[in-house]
Amino acid sequence: MRTLAWPCPAPGGSGEEFALVAGPEDAAARVLLVPALFEEANKTRRLLAETMRALAARGVASVLPDLPGCGESLAPLELQDLDSWRAAVRRCARRFRASHYLAIRGGAVLLPRTAKGWSFEPVAGASLLRTMVRARTIAAREEGREETAARLLDLGRVQGLELAGYRLGARMIAGLERADLPKRSKRLVLTLADLGGEPLWRRSEPGEDPALAAALAARIAVEATP
Amino acid sequence: MRADMAQHKALGAHDDSAAQLRAILRDVLGLEPSQVERFNDRTELFGSLPELDSMAVAGLLTEMEDRLDIVIEDDEVDGELLSTFGNLLAFARAKRRR
């Protein structure tokens, strides 16, 4: 595994962002992993690192970028929206000369329309947002405060919102509400039901799932290798 | 228990709510299958399962919505709903009958 810096003019950023890279540098099959969003990115990171190692063992190169405002990025998350993230994904794909994409969960809403590749357990922006808002209202209730999802979202669309420790700007909130999943052929949508495995992104302590990583890598390597 | 039986009947003999709910709890909380198999109506959930923080509760509700094809309103979620496996199951069954 190595780190790649790639040029990325994200709002408030340093002009470059970082990514994790694995596999042969001259590989013909080059997969860009579009990470899950917010907390789910952390919860699936070990799964993805494991998947990248398994891909490398099959001769497939892969790259896992930090989206601007996430991970090692110096850009403030609050200034990002889905369009700045989509632009970052395109930039990273160009720099890495990606031949395919694998989007994880909410990462599916960032896929370029013509992207070749797969989405794994994709989830629409609105569903992700609903779960995060719900976690906040539940936490508030535990502390004896009453917050409603509708009121939080009204506020969020105007001045942004802090959800699960993430400071989301108004444009990010509005973008997530509208972000539907791209229509994709069934064959390109990978699910836990097909591959076997557990929804690590739901867990407080996700750990890893080596069998799932191996299944993901096997499926992708077969179809991505020319 | 009798009320629970009556609900069971109303959903028909093919009610798989209990099995579905066990699978959801196992997946979301990362519990052993043998542990969720032992859950009964009085098994305490919220408060006694350290895995259930607010994000996990929210994820649990979303998974219930997706897998059981129900919609859960914010004001239906309270400490009582999540206090025991029996309460959560009765809620899921009532929702699915609608």
Side-chain angles (χ1 to χ4, degrees), chain A residues 31-60:
Chain A
V31 182
L32 188 153
L33 278 65
V34 185
L37 308 185
F38 313 115
E39 188 55 21
E40 290 193 2
N42 299 330
K43 292 183 173 176
T44 51
R45 194 161 174 91
R46 280 169 72 182
L47 172 70
L48 294 193
E50 196 67 32
T51 304
M52 292 172 79
R53 273 189 284 270
L55 284 170
R58 291 169 176 269
V60 176

Side-chain angles (χ1 to χ4, degrees), chain A residues 39 43 105 127-128 130-139 141-142 147-150 164 192 197-204, chain B residues 26-31 46 50-63 65-67 71-75 77-78:
Chain A
E39 188 55 21
K43 292 183 173 176
R105 297 279 297 157
S127 168
L128 213 52
R130 182 168 151 79
T131 306
M132 291 172 83
V133 168
R134 188 175 252 168
R136 176 161 160 168
T137 59
I138 291 168
R141 195 168 296 174
E142 281 168 33
E147 291 183 332
T148 70
L192 284 176
E198 299 174 347
L200 302 176
W201 51 89
R202 292 279 183 228
R203 304 270 175 86
S204 305
Chain B
R26 187 192 63 220
D27 280 351
V28 171
L29 304 177
L31 303 174
F46 199 50
E51 296 86 351
L52 264 179
D53 58 22
S54 62
M55 197 64 208
V57 171
L60 170 68
L61 298 174
T62 303
E63 287 287 325
E65 290 183 327
D66 290 351
R67 296 201 212 174
V71 175
I72 301 171
E73 305 297 339
D74 267 7
D75 57 13
V77 182
D78 57 20

Side-chain angles (χ1 to χ4, degrees), chain A residues 161-178:
Chain A
L161 208 54
E162 178 158 332
L163 294 174
Y166 293 82
R167 180 76 215 164
L168 309 188
R171 289 166 56 91
M172 180 68 90
I173 300 279
L176 285 170
E177 287 190 299
R178 287 193 305 265

Side-chain angles (χ1 to χ4, degrees), chain A residues 63 74 87 181:
Chain A
V63 62
L74 298 173
L181 292 173

Side-chain angles (χ1 to χ4, degrees), chain A:
Chain A
M1 292 277 203
R2 18 187 224 288
T3 306
L4 170 82
W6 43 288
C8 180
S14 66
E16 64 177 16
E17 299 291 340
F18 297 92
L20 208 58
V21 176
E25 277 179 44
D26 59 353
R30 312 177 67 81
V31 182
L32 188 153
L33 278 65
V34 185
L37 308 185
F38 313 115
E39 188 55 21
E40 290 193 2
N42 299 330
K43 292 183 173 176
T44 51
R45 194 161 174 91
R46 280 169 72 182
L47 172 70
L48 294 193
E50 196 67 32
T51 304
M52 292 172 79
R53 273 189 284 270
L55 284 170
R58 291 169 176 269
V60 176
S62 57
V63 62
L64 174 63
D66 282 333
L67 295 170
C70 306
E72 300 290 307
S73 174
L74 298 173
L77 176 60
E78 195 174 0
L79 298 183
Q80 311 308 317
D81 56 37
L82 292 182
D83 288 330
S84 77
W85 280 358
R86 288 181 182 121
V89 167
R90 284 196 302 272
R91 288 272 181 156
C92 184
R94 207 176 310 154
R95 169 72 176 77
F96 183 71
R97 290 174 284 115
S99 62
H100 294 77
Y101 293 79
L102 168 63
I104 315 302
R105 297 279 297 157
V109 305
L110 305 178
L111 281 176
R113 214 170 311 149
T114 55
K116 236 164 90 179
W118 309 263
S119 49
F120 172 61
E121 286 283 328
V123 57
S127 168
L128 213 52
L129 189 62
R130 182 168 151 79
T131 306
M132 291 172 83
V133 168
R134 188 175 252 168
R136 176 161 160 168
T137 59
I138 291 168
R141 195 168 296 174
E142 281 168 33
E143 292 164 13
R145 289 180 292 118
E146 201 61 35
E147 291 183 332
T148 70
R151 218 173 322 146
L152 283 174
L153 285 171
D154 281 344
L155 195 72
R157 284 179 212 115
V158 178
Q159 56 183 51
L161 208 54
E162 178 158 332
L163 294 174
Y166 293 82
R167 180 76 215 164
L168 309 188
R171 289 166 56 91
M172 180 68 90
I173 300 279
L176 285 170
E177 287 190 299
R178 287 193 305 265
D180 292 328
L181 292 173
K183 290 228 178 338
R184 297 182 76 80
S185 128
K186 264 221 163 84
R187 192 176 62 83
L188 302 176
V189 178
L190 309 179
T191 65
L192 284 176
D194 295 340
L195 297 170
E198 299 174 347
L200 302 176
W201 51 89
R202 292 279 183 228
R203 304 270 175 86
S204 305
E205 294 180 20
E208 55 192 25
D209 188 343
L212 175 57
L216 263 172
R219 175 73 184 269
I220 285 158
V222 167
E223 292 184 35
T225 308

